[in-house]
Structure formats: C-alpha cells, structure tokens
Amino acid sequence: MFDNLSDRLQGVMKKLTGRGRLSEAAVDAAMREVRLALREADVNFRVVKDFVARVRERAVGSDVMSSLTPGQAVVRVVHEELADLMGSTDSRLVLSSRMPAVVMLVGLQGSGKTTAAAKLANHLRKEGRRPLLIACDVYRPAAVDQLQTLGKELDIPVYAGEPGGDPVGIAQAGVKEAVGAARDVAIVDTAGRLHVDDALMDEARRIRDAVRPDQLLLVVDAMTGQDAVGVAEAFQERVDFDGVIITKLDGDARGGAALSVRAVTGKPIKFAGVGEKLDALEVFHPDRMARRILGMGDVLTLIEKAEEVFEEEQAEELEEKLKKSQFTLDDFLVQLGQLKKMGSMEQVLSMMPGAGGKALKGADVDEGALTRTEAIIQSMTLQERAKPSVINGSRRERIATGAGVSVYDVNQLLKQFAQVKKMLKQFATPGKKGRRMPRMPGGELPF
Amino acid sequence: MNTPWYKRVAEGLTRTREELTGQLNVLVGRGPDVDEGFWEELEDALIGADMGVPAVTEITDRLRASAARERLTDSHAVLELLTDEIAEELALASGDVFELSPVTVLVVGVNGTGKTTTIAKLANELQVRGRSVLLGSADTYRAAADEQLQVWAGRVGVPIVSRERGADPAAVAFDAIRRAREEDFDVTLVDTAGRLHTSRELMGELAKISRIVKRESLAPVRTLLVMDATTGQNGITQARQFDQALGVDGIVLTKLDGTAKGGVCVAIARELGLPIVRVGVGEALDDLKPFDPGDFARALTGAA
Ligand SMILES: Nc1nc2c(ncn2[C@@H]2O[C@H](COP(=O)(O)OP(=O)(O)O)[C@@H](O)[C@H]2O)c(=O)[nH]1
Ligand SMILES: [Mg+2]
C-alpha cells in the first residue's frame, strides 16, 4: 500500500484525467483516497466526512479544474485545508500578570500529564519564568513521587499534598505556596481520569474553580484512535480547556487524533511531546502535523534542520545541481559529511517522506556504513564519481578492492545514491525563502 | 460489582451513544431495513471502533455477500452475523500463560498503557489462585516507577526485586529470575519501562532483557504486550514491532472501562494472530478480567 497520499493522488489523477483536466468523477476518486488516508491516520470518521465534503467543494472549483497538474493541485487543497483546520502556529501560553499565573493539566490515564507538566515547567523557566509544580494526583501509586523526582532533576520546586488528600485543597495550598515562594507560575498536575467518570470529572472542575487557571490544557496521546473526539468533547463540556498538548509524537503514529480534537473543540494544539527527556517539548507546527497525517513526511522539519547545518552557499549550489540533475557522487560525499553533522542518519531519514524513512528500506544506514561509503567513493575515479553510469562490473571489482569492501557493498552504495538523489530532488524547491514557508509558491509542492 | 465487565463496557457505550451520533446504536435504531445507508453506517461504526480500514472493508464485504446469499433483510440479523464473525476472528488459542506453573511473564508495551497496574492485577489474581508470586521491577528508567510497583506489591502482599533508578534493567530481571529459582516461586512477573516501538535503542534493550530472562529462567517464559484500548491504527505497528523484537505471546487490553472499544485488536488478531488474554476494566486490583471473544464482539458491535 502507498503511504504517501501525494503518490496516491497522482496515481488516481493519471488514470482519470485527460490532458490535465479534472472531471468531477476524478475529484470523487481523489476524495476517496483522501478519505482513506485520513481514516488510516486515525482521524475521526465524523471529522473525515465534514472535511472531505469541504475539500470536495473547493476541489471542483475552477482553479483546480484548469490546473495543469491537477493531482498536485488537489494535494495542495487538501494540505491547505488541513493546515487551516489544524490552526495557526501560536504556542504562546497567554498567562496573566497575577501572582502566580496558573496552568492546569488534565487528561486520560497514561496520556503523559506528569511528564508534560515537568517539561512545561522547564520550558517556562527557559522563558524567564519561575515555575512551581503542584502534584494533585493523589490516586495513582507514586504519582506524587514521580513529579517530585522530576522536579528535583530540573531543580524546580514541587508542592505535594498528602497521598489520599483532597486534590482541590492541595491545588489551592500549592498556589498559595507559590505566592510565598515568589514563584510566578504554578503548574497543576492532576490525576488521570476517564471522561465518563462523573465523580472525577466533577473533581477536575472543582480544582479548576479553586485555582482559576490562566491556561487549562488537555493532554492527548498521539496514538489515540477514534475515541479522541468523545474524550475531547467530554472534557470541553465538563471542565473546558484552552489548548492541547499532544504527546508521544516521537513515535510513528500518524496522529489523526490531533486533527479530530482540534476539529471538534476548536481549541489550539500548543505543544508536542517528542521524547522522554525533559526538554523534549516542541512548539506545535500545524502545517507539519497536516503533512504527517497525510503521510507526506516531516519534510519541513528536515529542511529546517538541514538549514541549520548546511552553509547557505552550499545549499544553493546543491539546489542548482539538483535542478540540472548534476548531483554527483562527489557531492554525495560532501552531503554525507553534512549529514554526519546533522545527527544520526536514522534520525534524518526518519523524517523523510514515506513514514520512518521506509523509502530507504534495504539501504542499511548505520553509522559504520557511512565510513564505508566514504571509502568506496574515494576509491572511484573522478569520472566515475561524476557519472556513476559508467561503473561496470570490472570497475566495481576494482573499487571494491580499493575500498576493502565487497562488490555487494559497492552495488548497495550505487543503489542508495540513486535513491538519495531522487529524494533530495523531492525537497529541493525553488527560492530559498520559500523553503521555509508552509505553502509553496508556483504551484510546486516539496515532495 | 456483579455486573459482568462487558455490561459495564456496554454501559460506557450507552453513555457515549448519547454524546456521539452515528454509532452502532443508530444502526439498531434506524429501522430493520438493510439498504445502502445501513452498510455505510455500519462501516462508519466499525471504523469508529478503531478496527481500521482493511479489516472493516474485508469484513463488511464478506458480510454483504452472506447477507445477499442468505437473503437477510433484517439489520438485527446482520448485526448478529457480524458479531459472530468478529468473535470468530478473535477466538485465537490464547495459550497457557496463566495455567503454567512455574512461569515467568515479561510485561512490555509503550508508555502509559498500564503495564505496572496490570502486573499488580495479575499478581493479585494469581495469588488468589494459590500461586506464589514474585515481582521484578525492571522499569529503572521512569521517575518513581519502582516506587509505584512497590506500593502495589505491598497492597497485594507479594515480594519484589528491585535496584536503584538508572540500573541496568536486564540486571534486575536477572536478580528476579535467580531469586525465583532459589526460592521456588510459581510465578515471576517482570515489569519493564514503557518504550516507543520506533526506538531502535530501547527495543534493543528490551530484546536483551528478554534474552537474559529466557536464558536464566528455568520456568517457561511468556511475553505479554499491554495495549491501551484507546489506541488507534498505530496499535498494529506496535504489536508487530514488539513481536518482531522479542516475540509476543498475548495481549492485555486495558482501559476498556472508558468508551474506546479496542477494535484495533481485531486487526491485530487478523494480521499477527496475537490473542487477547486479559482485559483491564478499571484501576482497582480486581479490574482484570478474562477475555471472552463473544462478549468483546458484542460490546464492539453493540449487538444485544
Ligand atoms: N481506567 C483505567 N485506567 C487504567 C487501567 N489500567 C491502568 N490504568 C491507569 O493508567 C495509568 C498508567 O498506568 P501504569 O500502570 O502506570 O502504566 P505503565 O506506564 O504502562 O506502567 C495509571 O493511571 C493507571 O491507573 C484500566 O484498565 N482502566
Ligand atoms: Mg510502569
């Protein structure tokens, strides 16, 4: 099965369009693919329905109909609508100037509230705040212990009540403690609760009313399936919330829950948890999430990361070469060096389109292979590096001997090079400013 | 608490039914006719239960064919048929995990699914059934994970083997197995840190723990994957990756006391043949129940 909606749509369009024109039947076929992709990504089926209806309306509109590349145009409409629905990038927590400002976290059991509370404290401190953590999960064994341990690690104070104490009272006392200790923001961690548990939902509301949070955030696991909608609606109705933290986004879940929650509550997703470490909290990027849900890979993250490392000039040069299809093994050698700087290959490749770098499956990418690759390329003549197509059987043997590897390794490298060349082409887009923009000028998409 | 768990689950469903539209009750409530609208709603409802597109498409196609063949025109009859089909898919031999004695059980899964709580519940169940139980606290990574299991061990009244935070989890597992051997425990339950199946490093660590446990344990070793019922299609990948990394014998499906139906387990059963061996229906020690495919299928389809 294709992972990439873009590929899928191109396929459908190819079959159904005569000379680049879109028929309504083609749009319908495309919408079936969109619906399938969203369902596979765990977007709630009700949300999918609404969404597809809206996209369809736009897709049968004239600009798409007359587009020369209707497949891409439909992808763009889908992507734009999705990014739109996901909201704008604004992760700032609006905190009042009162002492202390209060942030409260709620959510289902196991969604990652306690870790998120600690990460948030860490984040706010980086912004110059003086946070205090308040441990109100008096139910789960050692939940208070957990927050205290994290607080110690961060060197951020934690207010904890007695296990079995009253969470409302603890929250109140914690806020008071913050005032005394001159902490300017209090983060209230609460017990996990089921959205259908009346008593506990009521308790959450009472904690809210007691501490009147500036920001009440719902913590949602990125792996959540269809249930996300019911959960979010219930939390909204019973306690209301201002925004969402989506956790465990470092896994490979497509994360349709993010879209579902956003769609049914209208509340923005503020942060994404991307690891177990306490600094693994990222500002949420709606546009990237849209791509992820569509299975198009986190191309933008990759590009941004690359830009941090690649010297601007080199990037431009590379882009030129890609445009002219002159990317050689020598350039590959240089790029490999750059990749080494960017972090592990695995990490980089996992951000490429095709979910988890699946596109490079079979091409082994352990770091040792990097060194081997360098040796192989260095054993090639300049002509071979510039034009790998000349490398025949006997040349392969010579190169292998020179690099101290097997012919198989040489073959692998050549295959890998061809794949990488193809991939690099996918994210080389016109205009260096444009590369940072969520929407691509000139009707071209970066995949 | 005498109501069977699936009734409680069904009650959970009733509650959501009021909140959500387009669920299976609509099918029941929409009248007896099996028409195009019926099939569409049926598909939506099964997708809504997290069964996933391929499984739903395949099952509804099959169902359509049977309905046509048997001239079923009544939606209730079709729902019954569907329930039976799903139950059949789920009726996999669930093995001997809790019949074996002695046995060593390794408990694994992604973060926050309910591994530690499940261990406590299992310890409780097995102890009630007369087995001597030892816990191995091999989550040395998460803050206060050991303290959490310590509290449970105290409540259930079973001994626990642990080391300081940050210690090698394989070493804790080793200690636990050795003690089980020396002191003749019937059951050794080994808790592990939650981890995303996408982390090569952490999956490697788990495979190492598993190797050591299998090497050292005189008793047969079984591995249980704990999965949260709210999990969507990612559950399939989870199950596949854990199974590939260390071999999984069964699934414990937790948090069925909410409104999630755990339909992804149908897809997992079909694709990987992994049976559900227990279900978690709450946070208390006795909230662990045997898995009954029929009950589960009924809760999933909403058939009476
Ligand atoms: N409602 C409900 N909560 C559960 C169930 N099983 C575990 N939990 C809760 O889920 C949270 C995470 O459980 P824990 O055992 O710490 O997960 P672990 O990280 O996998 O070890 C805790 O708050 C548990 O009380 C269940 O069957 N139903
Ligand atoms: Mg645990």
Side-chain angles (χ1 to χ4, degrees), chain A residues 152-182:
Chain A
K152 215 170 281 160
E153 261 164 51
L154 290 169
D155 198 21
I156 288 173
V158 176
Y159 180 86
E162 295 297 302
D166 167 36
V168 181
I170 294 169
Q172 257 169 334
V175 171
K176 211 179 261 166
E177 165 95 3
V179 179

PDB file of all heavy atoms in Angstrom, chain A residues 152-182:
ATOM      1  N   LYS A 152      13.090  17.522  41.127  1.00  0.00           N
ATOM      2  CA  LYS A 152      14.455  17.503  41.633  1.00  0.00           C
ATOM      3  C   LYS A 152      15.444  17.519  40.468  1.00  0.00           C
ATOM      4  O   LYS A 152      16.425  18.252  40.478  1.00  0.00           O
ATOM      5  CB  LYS A 152      14.660  16.251  42.502  1.00  0.00           C
ATOM      6  CG  LYS A 152      15.601  16.490  43.682  1.00  0.00           C
ATOM      7  CD  LYS A 152      15.582  15.303  44.655  1.00  0.00           C
ATOM      8  CE  LYS A 152      14.370  15.294  45.582  1.00  0.00           C
ATOM      9  NZ  LYS A 152      14.098  13.961  46.177  1.00  0.00           N
ATOM     10  N   GLU A 153      15.151  16.711  39.458  1.00  0.00           N
ATOM     11  CA  GLU A 153      16.030  16.670  38.295  1.00  0.00           C
ATOM     12  C   GLU A 153      16.171  18.039  37.643  1.00  0.00           C
ATOM     13  O   GLU A 153      17.231  18.418  37.180  1.00  0.00           O
ATOM     14  CB  GLU A 153      15.464  15.698  37.249  1.00  0.00           C
ATOM     15  CG  GLU A 153      16.122  14.340  37.274  1.00  0.00           C
ATOM     16  CD  GLU A 153      15.304  13.303  36.519  1.00  0.00           C
ATOM     17  OE1 GLU A 153      14.926  13.574  35.362  1.00  0.00           O
ATOM     18  OE2 GLU A 153      15.026  12.242  37.103  1.00  0.00           O
ATOM     19  N   LEU A 154      15.073  18.776  37.620  1.00  0.00           N
ATOM     20  CA  LEU A 154      15.066  20.084  36.968  1.00  0.00           C
ATOM     21  C   LEU A 154      15.469  21.192  37.912  1.00  0.00           C
ATOM     22  O   LEU A 154      15.670  22.323  37.505  1.00  0.00           O
ATOM     23  CB  LEU A 154      13.659  20.391  36.438  1.00  0.00           C
ATOM     24  CG  LEU A 154      13.158  19.579  35.249  1.00  0.00           C
ATOM     25  CD1 LEU A 154      11.675  19.822  35.034  1.00  0.00           C
ATOM     26  CD2 LEU A 154      13.945  19.954  34.004  1.00  0.00           C
ATOM     27  N   ASP A 155      15.532  20.845  39.184  1.00  0.00           N
ATOM     28  CA  ASP A 155      15.749  21.849  40.209  1.00  0.00           C
ATOM     29  C   ASP A 155      14.618  22.884  40.194  1.00  0.00           C
ATOM     30  O   ASP A 155      14.850  24.095  40.223  1.00  0.00           O
ATOM     31  CB  ASP A 155      17.118  22.510  40.018  1.00  0.00           C
ATOM     32  CG  ASP A 155      17.567  23.214  41.288  1.00  0.00           C
ATOM     33  OD1 ASP A 155      17.055  22.862  42.370  1.00  0.00           O
ATOM     34  OD2 ASP A 155      18.396  24.143  41.186  1.00  0.00           O
ATOM     35  N   ILE A 156      13.403  22.376  40.115  1.00  0.00           N
ATOM     36  CA  ILE A 156      12.208  23.214  40.181  1.00  0.00           C
ATOM     37  C   ILE A 156      11.366  22.701  41.358  1.00  0.00           C
ATOM     38  O   ILE A 156      11.153  21.492  41.474  1.00  0.00           O
ATOM     39  CB  ILE A 156      11.414  23.132  38.858  1.00  0.00           C
ATOM     40  CG1 ILE A 156      12.170  23.881  37.751  1.00  0.00           C
ATOM     41  CG2 ILE A 156      10.004  23.714  39.021  1.00  0.00           C
ATOM     42  CD1 ILE A 156      11.579  23.726  36.370  1.00  0.00           C
ATOM     43  N   PRO A 157      10.933  23.593  42.243  1.00  0.00           N
ATOM     44  CA  PRO A 157      10.228  23.124  43.438  1.00  0.00           C
ATOM     45  C   PRO A 157       8.885  22.474  43.108  1.00  0.00           C
ATOM     46  O   PRO A 157       8.230  22.826  42.142  1.00  0.00           O
ATOM     47  CB  PRO A 157      10.013  24.393  44.257  1.00  0.00           C
ATOM     48  CG  PRO A 157      10.147  25.518  43.288  1.00  0.00           C
ATOM     49  CD  PRO A 157      11.085  25.054  42.226  1.00  0.00           C
ATOM     50  N   VAL A 158       8.517  21.498  43.948  1.00  0.00           N
ATOM     51  CA  VAL A 158       7.256  20.790  43.776  1.00  0.00           C
ATOM     52  C   VAL A 158       6.468  20.884  45.073  1.00  0.00           C
ATOM     53  O   VAL A 158       6.988  20.592  46.149  1.00  0.00           O
ATOM     54  CB  VAL A 158       7.495  19.300  43.441  1.00  0.00           C
ATOM     55  CG1 VAL A 158       6.172  18.554  43.354  1.00  0.00           C
ATOM     56  CG2 VAL A 158       8.283  19.160  42.143  1.00  0.00           C
ATOM     57  N   TYR A 159       5.218  21.311  44.966  1.00  0.00           N
ATOM     58  CA  TYR A 159       4.359  21.290  46.133  1.00  0.00           C
ATOM     59  C   TYR A 159       3.530  20.012  46.090  1.00  0.00           C
ATOM     60  O   TYR A 159       2.881  19.733  45.083  1.00  0.00           O
ATOM     61  CB  TYR A 159       3.438  22.507  46.169  1.00  0.00           C
ATOM     62  CG  TYR A 159       2.538  22.491  47.385  1.00  0.00           C
ATOM     63  CD1 TYR A 159       2.972  23.010  48.604  1.00  0.00           C
ATOM     64  CD2 TYR A 159       1.276  21.904  47.318  1.00  0.00           C
ATOM     65  CE1 TYR A 159       2.171  22.956  49.730  1.00  0.00           C
ATOM     66  CE2 TYR A 159       0.458  21.850  48.437  1.00  0.00           C
ATOM     67  CZ  TYR A 159       0.910  22.374  49.641  1.00  0.00           C
ATOM     68  OH  TYR A 159       0.121  22.303  50.752  1.00  0.00           O
ATOM     69  N   ALA A 160       3.558  19.255  47.157  1.00  0.00           N
ATOM     70  CA  ALA A 160       2.823  17.995  47.169  1.00  0.00           C
ATOM     71  C   ALA A 160       1.986  17.885  48.425  1.00  0.00           C
ATOM     72  O   ALA A 160       2.429  18.235  49.508  1.00  0.00           O
ATOM     73  CB  ALA A 160       3.788  16.825  47.089  1.00  0.00           C
ATOM     74  N   GLY A 161       0.791  17.443  48.250  1.00  0.00           N
ATOM     75  CA  GLY A 161      -0.048  17.177  49.404  1.00  0.00           C
ATOM     76  C   GLY A 161       0.169  15.763  49.890  1.00  0.00           C
ATOM     77  O   GLY A 161       1.006  15.037  49.360  1.00  0.00           O
ATOM     78  N   GLU A 162      -0.581  15.386  50.883  1.00  0.00           N
ATOM     79  CA  GLU A 162      -0.524  14.018  51.379  1.00  0.00           C
ATOM     80  C   GLU A 162      -1.156  13.094  50.346  1.00  0.00           C
ATOM     81  O   GLU A 162      -2.164  13.451  49.742  1.00  0.00           O
ATOM     82  CB  GLU A 162      -1.334  13.905  52.679  1.00  0.00           C
ATOM     83  CG  GLU A 162      -0.761  14.705  53.822  1.00  0.00           C
ATOM     84  CD  GLU A 162       0.621  14.204  54.197  1.00  0.00           C
ATOM     85  OE1 GLU A 162       0.734  13.007  54.529  1.00  0.00           O
ATOM     86  OE2 GLU A 162       1.588  14.995  54.127  1.00  0.00           O
ATOM     87  N   PRO A 163      -0.583  11.874  50.185  1.00  0.00           N
ATOM     88  CA  PRO A 163      -1.294  10.903  49.361  1.00  0.00           C
ATOM     89  C   PRO A 163      -2.670  10.659  50.001  1.00  0.00           C
ATOM     90  O   PRO A 163      -2.776  10.573  51.217  1.00  0.00           O
ATOM     91  CB  PRO A 163      -0.431   9.641  49.457  1.00  0.00           C
ATOM     92  CG  PRO A 163       0.876  10.090  50.003  1.00  0.00           C
ATOM     93  CD  PRO A 163       0.662  11.369  50.732  1.00  0.00           C
ATOM     94  N   GLY A 164      -3.681  10.594  49.177  1.00  0.00           N
ATOM     95  CA  GLY A 164      -5.025  10.398  49.716  1.00  0.00           C
ATOM     96  C   GLY A 164      -5.660  11.687  50.186  1.00  0.00           C
ATOM     97  O   GLY A 164      -6.805  11.694  50.639  1.00  0.00           O
ATOM     98  N   GLY A 165      -4.939  12.801  50.094  1.00  0.00           N
ATOM     99  CA  GLY A 165      -5.510  14.090  50.474  1.00  0.00           C
ATOM    100  C   GLY A 165      -6.508  14.579  49.444  1.00  0.00           C
ATOM    101  O   GLY A 165      -6.764  13.903  48.444  1.00  0.00           O
ATOM    102  N   ASP A 166      -7.039  15.758  49.683  1.00  0.00           N
ATOM    103  CA  ASP A 166      -8.042  16.293  48.770  1.00  0.00           C
ATOM    104  C   ASP A 166      -7.363  17.137  47.687  1.00  0.00           C
ATOM    105  O   ASP A 166      -6.738  18.159  47.994  1.00  0.00           O
ATOM    106  CB  ASP A 166      -9.031  17.146  49.569  1.00  0.00           C
ATOM    107  CG  ASP A 166      -9.892  17.981  48.632  1.00  0.00           C
ATOM    108  OD1 ASP A 166     -10.226  17.473  47.546  1.00  0.00           O
ATOM    109  OD2 ASP A 166     -10.210  19.142  48.986  1.00  0.00           O
ATOM    110  N   PRO A 167      -7.482  16.711  46.438  1.00  0.00           N
ATOM    111  CA  PRO A 167      -6.775  17.401  45.347  1.00  0.00           C
ATOM    112  C   PRO A 167      -7.142  18.887  45.242  1.00  0.00           C
ATOM    113  O   PRO A 167      -6.285  19.703  44.890  1.00  0.00           O
ATOM    114  CB  PRO A 167      -7.233  16.664  44.090  1.00  0.00           C
ATOM    115  CG  PRO A 167      -7.821  15.391  44.551  1.00  0.00           C
ATOM    116  CD  PRO A 167      -8.249  15.553  45.964  1.00  0.00           C
ATOM    117  N   VAL A 168      -8.388  19.224  45.547  1.00  0.00           N
ATOM    118  CA  VAL A 168      -8.795  20.625  45.456  1.00  0.00           C
ATOM    119  C   VAL A 168      -8.020  21.450  46.480  1.00  0.00           C
ATOM    120  O   VAL A 168      -7.455  22.503  46.166  1.00  0.00           O
ATOM    121  CB  VAL A 168     -10.313  20.777  45.666  1.00  0.00           C
ATOM    122  CG1 VAL A 168     -10.725  22.238  45.551  1.00  0.00           C
ATOM    123  CG2 VAL A 168     -11.086  19.910  44.688  1.00  0.00           C
ATOM    124  N   GLY A 169      -7.964  20.932  47.688  1.00  0.00           N
ATOM    125  CA  GLY A 169      -7.239  21.625  48.751  1.00  0.00           C
ATOM    126  C   GLY A 169      -5.756  21.734  48.448  1.00  0.00           C
ATOM    127  O   GLY A 169      -5.131  22.772  48.663  1.00  0.00           O
ATOM    128  N   ILE A 170      -5.200  20.646  47.904  1.00  0.00           N
ATOM    129  CA  ILE A 170      -3.772  20.641  47.579  1.00  0.00           C
ATOM    130  C   ILE A 170      -3.471  21.706  46.518  1.00  0.00           C
ATOM    131  O   ILE A 170      -2.513  22.470  46.647  1.00  0.00           O
ATOM    132  CB  ILE A 170      -3.327  19.258  47.063  1.00  0.00           C
ATOM    133  CG1 ILE A 170      -3.448  18.211  48.176  1.00  0.00           C
ATOM    134  CG2 ILE A 170      -1.896  19.304  46.541  1.00  0.00           C
ATOM    135  CD1 ILE A 170      -3.293  16.781  47.716  1.00  0.00           C
ATOM    136  N   ALA A 171      -4.313  21.756  45.497  1.00  0.00           N
ATOM    137  CA  ALA A 171      -4.095  22.730  44.425  1.00  0.00           C
ATOM    138  C   ALA A 171      -4.111  24.149  44.987  1.00  0.00           C
ATOM    139  O   ALA A 171      -3.239  24.969  44.681  1.00  0.00           O
ATOM    140  CB  ALA A 171      -5.155  22.564  43.339  1.00  0.00           C
ATOM    141  N   GLN A 172      -5.101  24.401  45.842  1.00  0.00           N
ATOM    142  CA  GLN A 172      -5.222  25.740  46.439  1.00  0.00           C
ATOM    143  C   GLN A 172      -4.005  26.081  47.282  1.00  0.00           C
ATOM    144  O   GLN A 172      -3.430  27.170  47.172  1.00  0.00           O
ATOM    145  CB  GLN A 172      -6.466  25.782  47.321  1.00  0.00           C
ATOM    146  CG  GLN A 172      -7.609  26.502  46.658  1.00  0.00           C
ATOM    147  CD  GLN A 172      -8.909  26.306  47.419  1.00  0.00           C
ATOM    148  OE1 GLN A 172      -9.096  25.297  48.124  1.00  0.00           O
ATOM    149  NE2 GLN A 172      -9.812  27.261  47.273  1.00  0.00           N
ATOM    150  N   ALA A 173      -3.625  25.140  48.127  1.00  0.00           N
ATOM    151  CA  ALA A 173      -2.484  25.372  49.007  1.00  0.00           C
ATOM    152  C   ALA A 173      -1.212  25.561  48.185  1.00  0.00           C
ATOM    153  O   ALA A 173      -0.348  26.379  48.534  1.00  0.00           O
ATOM    154  CB  ALA A 173      -2.331  24.202  49.972  1.00  0.00           C
ATOM    155  N   GLY A 174      -1.111  24.813  47.078  1.00  0.00           N
ATOM    156  CA  GLY A 174       0.054  24.926  46.208  1.00  0.00           C
ATOM    157  C   GLY A 174       0.182  26.315  45.628  1.00  0.00           C
ATOM    158  O   GLY A 174       1.268  26.898  45.580  1.00  0.00           O
ATOM    159  N   VAL A 175      -0.941  26.840  45.175  1.00  0.00           N
ATOM    160  CA  VAL A 175      -0.925  28.187  44.599  1.00  0.00           C
ATOM    161  C   VAL A 175      -0.504  29.206  45.654  1.00  0.00           C
ATOM    162  O   VAL A 175       0.273  30.127  45.392  1.00  0.00           O
ATOM    163  CB  VAL A 175      -2.305  28.530  43.987  1.00  0.00           C
ATOM    164  CG1 VAL A 175      -2.361  30.000  43.594  1.00  0.00           C
ATOM    165  CG2 VAL A 175      -2.587  27.642  42.784  1.00  0.00           C
ATOM    166  N   LYS A 176      -1.007  29.014  46.867  1.00  0.00           N
ATOM    167  CA  LYS A 176      -0.637  29.920  47.959  1.00  0.00           C
ATOM    168  C   LYS A 176       0.865  29.840  48.225  1.00  0.00           C
ATOM    169  O   LYS A 176       1.545  30.843  48.397  1.00  0.00           O
ATOM    170  CB  LYS A 176      -1.416  29.535  49.231  1.00  0.00           C
ATOM    171  CG  LYS A 176      -1.719  30.743  50.127  1.00  0.00           C
ATOM    172  CD  LYS A 176      -2.497  30.338  51.362  1.00  0.00           C
ATOM    173  CE  LYS A 176      -3.987  30.593  51.235  1.00  0.00           C
ATOM    174  NZ  LYS A 176      -4.750  29.881  52.298  1.00  0.00           N
ATOM    175  N   GLU A 177       1.357  28.618  48.208  1.00  0.00           N
ATOM    176  CA  GLU A 177       2.784  28.376  48.406  1.00  0.00           C
ATOM    177  C   GLU A 177       3.610  29.122  47.347  1.00  0.00           C
ATOM    178  O   GLU A 177       4.649  29.695  47.653  1.00  0.00           O
ATOM    179  CB  GLU A 177       3.041  26.870  48.314  1.00  0.00           C
ATOM    180  CG  GLU A 177       4.492  26.479  48.135  1.00  0.00           C
ATOM    181  CD  GLU A 177       5.180  26.139  49.450  1.00  0.00           C
ATOM    182  OE1 GLU A 177       4.478  26.157  50.491  1.00  0.00           O
ATOM    183  OE2 GLU A 177       6.397  25.867  49.421  1.00  0.00           O
ATOM    184  N   ALA A 178       3.115  29.119  46.116  1.00  0.00           N
ATOM    185  CA  ALA A 178       3.825  29.808  45.037  1.00  0.00           C
ATOM    186  C   ALA A 178       3.976  31.290  45.359  1.00  0.00           C
ATOM    187  O   ALA A 178       5.019  31.895  45.129  1.00  0.00           O
ATOM    188  CB  ALA A 178       3.087  29.614  43.707  1.00  0.00           C
ATOM    189  N   VAL A 179       2.921  31.869  45.885  1.00  0.00           N
ATOM    190  CA  VAL A 179       2.969  33.289  46.245  1.00  0.00           C
ATOM    191  C   VAL A 179       4.064  33.517  47.283  1.00  0.00           C
ATOM    192  O   VAL A 179       4.933  34.380  47.122  1.00  0.00           O
ATOM    193  CB  VAL A 179       1.616  33.772  46.818  1.00  0.00           C
ATOM    194  CG1 VAL A 179       1.700  35.244  47.216  1.00  0.00           C
ATOM    195  CG2 VAL A 179       0.497  33.549  45.813  1.00  0.00           C
ATOM    196  N   GLY A 180       4.051  32.689  48.325  1.00  0.00           N
ATOM    197  CA  GLY A 180       5.031  32.825  49.400  1.00  0.00           C
ATOM    198  C   GLY A 180       6.453  32.657  48.905  1.00  0.00           C
ATOM    199  O   GLY A 180       7.366  33.351  49.346  1.00  0.00           O
ATOM    200  N   ALA A 181       6.631  31.721  47.960  1.00  0.00           N
ATOM    201  CA  ALA A 181       7.977  31.412  47.491  1.00  0.00           C
ATOM    202  C   ALA A 181       8.370  32.264  46.286  1.00  0.00           C
ATOM    203  O   ALA A 181       9.386  32.012  45.648  1.00  0.00           O
ATOM    204  CB  ALA A 181       8.075  29.930  47.138  1.00  0.00           C
ATOM    205  N   ALA A 182       7.525  33.254  45.971  1.00  0.00           N
ATOM    206  CA  ALA A 182       7.791  34.152  44.841  1.00  0.00           C
ATOM    207  C   ALA A 182       7.992  33.402  43.531  1.00  0.00           C
ATOM    208  O   ALA A 182       8.877  33.712  42.743  1.00  0.00           O
ATOM    209  CB  ALA A 182       9.000  35.054  45.139  1.00  0.00           C
TER     210      ALA A 182
END
